[in-house]
Amino acid sequence: MAEHKYVYMFTETDETMKNLVGGKGANLGQMTKLGLPIPQGFTVTTEACTYYYKNNQKLSDDIMKQIQSSLEKLEDITGKKFGDPKNPLLVSVRSGARVSMPGMMDTILNLGLNEEVVAGLAEATGNPSFAYDSYRRFIQMYSDVVMGLAKSRFEEIIDEMKKERNIEYDTEFTTEDLKEMITNFKAFYKKELNSEFPFEPKEQLIGAINAVFESWENPRANYYRKMHNIPSDWGTAVNVQSMVYGNMGNTSGTGVAFTRNPATGEKKIYGEYLINAQGEDVVAGVRTPQQISALENEMPEIYQEFMSLANKLENHFRDMQDIEFTIENGKLYLLQTRSGKRTAQAALRIAVELVEEGMLSKERALLLVQPEQLDDLLHPQFDVAALKKAQPIGAGLPASPGAACGQVAFNVEQVVKMRKEGKQVVLVRLETSPEDIEGMHVSEGFLTARGGMTSHAAVVARGMGKCCVSGVKEMEISEEKGYFKLGGKTLNLGDWISLDGTTGNVYAEQIPTVPATISGDFETFMSWCDEFRRLKIRTNADTPKDAKQAREFGAEGIGLCRTEHMFFDSTRIKAMREMILADNTEQRTAALEKLLPMQRGDFEALFEAMGNFPVTVRYLDPPLHEFLPTAPEAIKELAEEMGVSVEKLNTKIAELHETNPMMGHRGCRLAVSYPELAEMQTKAVIEAYINVKKRNPEYTAVPEIMIPLIGDEKELKYVKEVVVNTADKILKESNMNVDYHVGTMIEIPRAAVRADHIAKEADFFSFGTNDLTQMTFGFSRDDAGKFLSDYYSKRVFESDPFARIDQNGVGVLVEMAVEKGRSVKSNLKLGVCGEHGGEPSSIEFFNRIGLDYVSCSPYRVPIARLAAAQAVVKAKK
Amino acid sequence: MAEHKYVYMFTETDETMKNLVGGKGANLGQMTKLGLPIPQGFTVTTEACTYYYKNNQKLSDDIMKQIQSSLEKLEDITGKKFGDPKNPLLVSVRSGARVSMPGMMDTILNLGLNEEVVAGLAEATGNPSFAYDSYRRFIQMYSDVVMGLAKSRFEEIIDEMKKERNIEYDTEFTTEDLKEMITNFKAFYKKELNSEFPFEPKEQLIGAINAVFESWENPRANYYRKMHNIPSDWGTAVNVQSMVYGNMGNTSGTGVAFTRNPATGEKKIYGEYLINAQGEDVVAGVRTPQQISALENEMPEIYQEFMSLANKLENHFRDMQDIEFTIENGKLYLLQTRSGKRTAQAALRIAVELVEEGMLSKERALLLVQPEQLDDLLHPQFDVAALKKAQPIGAGLPASPGAACGQVAFNVEQVVKMRKEGKQVVLVRLETSPEDIEGMHVSEGFLTARGGMTSHAAVVARGMGKCCVSGVKEMEISEEKGYFKLGGKTLNLGDWISLDGTTGNVYAEQIPTVPATISGDFETFMSWCDEFRRLKIRTNADTPKDAKQAREFGAEGIGLCRTEHMFFDSTRIKAMREMILADNTEQRTAALEKLLPMQRGDFEALFEAMGNFPVTVRYLDPPLHEFLPTAPEAIKELAEEMGVSVEKLNTKIAELHETNPMMGHRGCRLAVSYPELAEMQTKAVIEAYINVKKRNPEYTAVPEIMIPLIGDEKELKYVKEVVVNTADKILKESNMNVDYHVGTMIEIPRAAVRADHIAKEADFFSFGTNDLTQMTFGFSRDDAGKFLSDYYSKRVFESDPFARIDQNGVGVLVEMAVEKGRSVKSNLKLGVCGEHGGEPSSIEFFNRIGLDYVSCSPYRVPIARLAAAQAVVKAKK
């Protein structure tokens, strides 16, 4: 039997092989195919990674053999030999998963060096300071990545040596300094790890590959995967690439560049480079690099060549590219290319312009924007007037646009703590690192003293759609003591600041914000979404304000109006409580009579706010005890207000107490017990509808009454009868000949099972996937957080079923209900109003199984419009 | 289009038509076909009843027409005319549902009488006192049943007249007395209802038929149906039968008889009759009737004829018959026959003897005993020694066997109240009536001063399997004042008494009881069950005592051992709490180490108690907060005991608090968070197993480890790995080469949906239908009682899904899991361990869908054995 192929040369791969060799590997193969100047190498596949974990975290002999033979091929290609002091082959070892996870996994450069090889390299290149600089870097990286000896421990040694020699930059060290540094490093290594730094290059290589595979499971990578819903069983590939050197002196350098501006989308090359440096120096933001435009003067030929290659890559991949390059002694190499991360604003502009340039069809352009990204554009912007009046205390690079306003924190722990207290936080750091990712995720924005536009903070901010101002050089910061100074002001932990990511300005105050609007490229792009999508997008809204906002964002109706929210209003809760405390139907009806005009008014306003779009009114859903107080003081107060004894009130509260309120007396069960409730709500809906219709004769929407928590057709039949009797009586009395619909939520597992029977009684189904998820899993949403964290950390679950619909379980029930419902009523209207209705992967699922609409919160409407359009495009593929 | 037939003459029906014409109607048709002396008549079908309710509780014109034409046919058959004073046809109007519901619905006799007809009847029969007695009875019954004017109000008039005339019995009234009584009755009727008593016989008939249909929905009937799971949409038929008279003087009479003894099953005619009476007098127990044997002397020819007819009926129906008969002027008529209600003891003896007599196959005999009835025989009997020492204070008729011991109550309200206080109650009444049924259901037994072996109390007691002593003539009772006197003692409300239903003795003391055993006919019958059933029957048991009891009742293994019950023991809960309060894994493991030997001991005892039958051990299931106190005092005490601060304890309790604990951190979720828990429990199971095996080398059972609350295959995989690693290590260390199984409960809706994936990891599935019902319906069992009562009263639900499996919803998921599970593992063992595992209709379902076993509480094991056998027999039909 032929052995399974676990290692591929770059010459054997291309862009279609991402799943097997990872994004980086596939693109390196493709670039090789395109004849671009790529340092050659080979890729150990993602399958090898999966196998590594199955094989008790060990590389199998078979894989080791394949690595060895690929290494030999690479020696042939490069004409160098691994471990040969006279003509040494050195390699970089880098991770590369199916999708790019920048900075999440480990990289090792300059691998293959030892005392003998470094000496040979110094001689061969005639550049000993380069050779020894490379070696000391290798020791640092290898010790950190493979052996877990933190890089910062070595930096301490470097800092000490700098102090001794009174120099500022690494580049000022002499070769002798570097040799001493290496001796110090190795001594430190031995002291800490009780063994010699590995001499044998092949041992180094296997150690490095192991380390990359191990890094797939490091906490940062896990967190990133969870955030981006990347399955852990995908694994990562490892790219072993022959080294080229940006640190060989002043005709060498390294940089990264985007073919368009990743912050704004402007069609203009955008990037940074450092002379005499290796890639890590640029990304880590240790030295502030130069703009790519400066290269035109410094190395005009290289610049022209780079521009031409960049153009070629963008034309080939038909998307903005993020390119790493190295100049080695005046020769340009490309180290990798990938689709660049970008802000939402940039994503929209790039998508629209690529279509205008004739490079992409609208359909393909729709896939260039992540639906979730749009969220960044929907959140409030600084109020222009207020911003004008505000005085910046300083400015940095506008690394990621948007408005951030929050209280200052200096590390992840502070951020997390303050967020728990409900505060908005801005993270202020000297520079950020991958370890900060969790805190960055919940911050409003980031401010850093060091780093350029492609520094860690900047890249992450753009990926997350957060605002970032980086490289504020004049800032003085002490993270330990918890303060920073800028523009003559000192800001402490908890002080308010505002960041303008579009200008780079920093303000020592809270600047008010205003709602977002959809215009320009955003508007163009959204109109394309509407051309392609099949699903209607509705919104969940209980107030005219929300309804109006949602319409501005493109909502085509209300899919869920939660009537109970209206009763919590302080002017109404009294009547609600009277209803609950009623001793009999008469008292209850009397209290409901008081609520009727308020509720009717609510509906009139909602109907008018939605114009001719439909409004789905869900009848009272929560258990009644939610409307009563629990604190003794509040109970006493309420008793006085209601004129009942504290005892009576306590008795009622005790009566209403439930062990598992989620599965208690709520939803349609309330209407079965107290039909007068459904009667009042029906009066309010129908009378409001009549009033609106009288005022606007051209009003044509059909009101939709939705009965929650149905588990059996008989429940629906019972409540529907109350609704229909009440509604028809009013309509007859008003001589109105209009239509209304009565439907149900499908949110109880049994309702899915009985959907064919329930459909006979229903004009529409709306899937309440929040409750359906709770009951299908048996997870109380209020309690599951506690144990789900164990589930994630033990990899039992990888994603939150309350965030993304669980297609294998809950989704099966939804699909069952769709099929059963339509089997008896082919025109049954089907929608979803759980929170999944605004989540892209869930929307793709709902599109596939044939729902008619999704309903989501107003701020998710544009996201849903895009996701619904992408669902159609993806389904065609 | 031919009109739908809603009315059938008795000559048109037979025993196969029960669903259409009801049990009574079908048997009257069959008896007509057999040529027996039946007063002829016709039946208005159950379909007419269903239609009546659809048609806003009105008889349609069509049905009225069919009734009229059937009445004309009946006039032709009898040669009499309805409403004709010269030759009047009188009829009885009686309900008759598919299954017999004795006393639950209404009956009207002597219908067709008015002032003119009664005079004609008096003349035609030459028996005016009979005629007027019949008329006054009719007025009473009609007023009560049709107009809702309580019969007792008329009894007051009768009592007054008796007092005036100083007479004791009805039969002593003269014709003039009866005429005066009728005048009084009518005046009273007019005064109360503001209208004349209806004169027109046809109006009377329609009123009566309406009333019978209405009675289908009276509270007694609803209660009875709910108790016996009879669907309300079956409806009742109405039988209109020409009257024959037992009240025509001393050559007339009426009675009821059973072809075998309904209390013991003895093959001997058993019944009672009253001379010069109508049927209601016997059933109501107003006069104490004579034994049927006395008829042999009084009317030997009639007696011979009756014996021969009774024999013929039993041979035809191949079951013990309950026959109503009337002797009219020396001529015998049969009014109805039906399979007689009987005690469990009688049911077994009759079934066994019918097989021995060659009248029935074993298969058919299995259907003659209701599984639930066996319950009566499994409950404790009086301790023989204690009974010998006890001194009866009196005795009555042994109307229904068994032992009842409880505190005296005199009406339903008292019974219900005392039951709520957790007391055992014996209901003591002058005589019982259908209104008492709810109180009778929750009493231990009944003691009545009046009434014979076929009185209401006796019939109901035998039907319910309760003990009853009736007709204790020397008893003096005041229900209002709440005492009774017997044998010189006065017993008050709440005093203890004991009743021996087998001897009829009454004791003014508490007599201790002993557990039941299976022997004699019971044993024979159960062995037949075992011959036929396919399902294995296991038991739910946590203690060796329960396990032993269950084995004696025939259990073939433990299907569910709830390990948490073992931790609530006062000697163990401390270690359990230490485990819960542990701050880290080390502390937790230390506490678990203390629990290990106890738990291992539990399992050794259980394994040994079950011999070679399998034992399924379910791992810890409830949320941990259930093991901690909630009252501040108890918390303080515990804090001291555990040596922790009250604050810390309160913090922990608050941390563990859950909004919906049913769907919280419990079941396998505990083992995912704390794998050391599953490790300890695995050690306990496997070490116990090894110890038992070492002691008994012939021990061959395979221990079954059951992981609860699985919703996804990855959960099971995670916990199973802990189990297998632990178990295999122990087995290896002990050099034991034995097998063990790891399976899961299917109790989360998602587990049913994912059953094909879960089955790959599981050796068996056990359906936890309690939780599955909770989550499929979204009903918290702890809370649903409150609103389910509204569901029953509004007919949204008819049966309790926690008692009988919901085949249309929960059952669909169970079936789905069976199919999916077996699709990937054809030998997957499938069982059920929810409470439905001991409920006959559910067992029939589980048999049908192919489960391997059911598991139920020890006392339901014999019931399950019979239900499983019946399921096979019914499936063959």
Side-chain angles (χ1 to χ4, degrees), chain A residues 336-405:
Chain A
Q336 72 160 310
T337 190
R338 57 188 173 194
S339 282
K341 303 273 173 205
R342 64 205 78 176
T343 64
Q345 194 185 328
L348 289 171
R349 179 164 172 185
I350 292 168
V352 169
E353 292 186 357
L354 285 174
V355 172
E356 284 168 357
E357 291 162 23
M359 272 176 59
L360 276 188
S361 65
K362 284 183 194 169
E363 271 176 285
R364 274 199 59 183
L366 285 177
L367 299 178
L368 281 194
V369 182
Q370 297 304 314
E372 293 287 359
Q373 278 193 300
L374 297 181
D375 194 41
D376 309 340
L377 302 175
L378 300 173
H379 287 288
Q381 314 285 321
F382 284 132
D383 176 71
V384 178
L387 192 64
K388 261 188 196 158
K389 272 186 252 161
Q391 196 54 46
I393 56 168
L397 302 171
S400 182
C405 179

Side-chain angles (χ1 to χ4, degrees), chain A residues 543-544 547 599-610 688 692 695:
Chain A
T543 64
Q599 177 104 101
R600 185 173 54 221
D602 295 330
F603 294 147
E604 286 182 32
L606 267 187
F607 291 161
E608 284 179 341
M610 286 313 286
V692 171
R695 285 200 287 274

Side-chain angles (χ1 to χ4, degrees), chain A residues 672-673 715 750 790-791 806, chain B residues 673 715 750 790-791 806:
Chain A
V672 170
S673 292
E715 286 174 311
R750 196 175 187 277
D790 293 329
Y791 272 56
D806 156 45
Chain B
S673 292
E715 286 175 310
R750 196 175 187 278
D790 292 329
Y791 272 56
D806 157 45

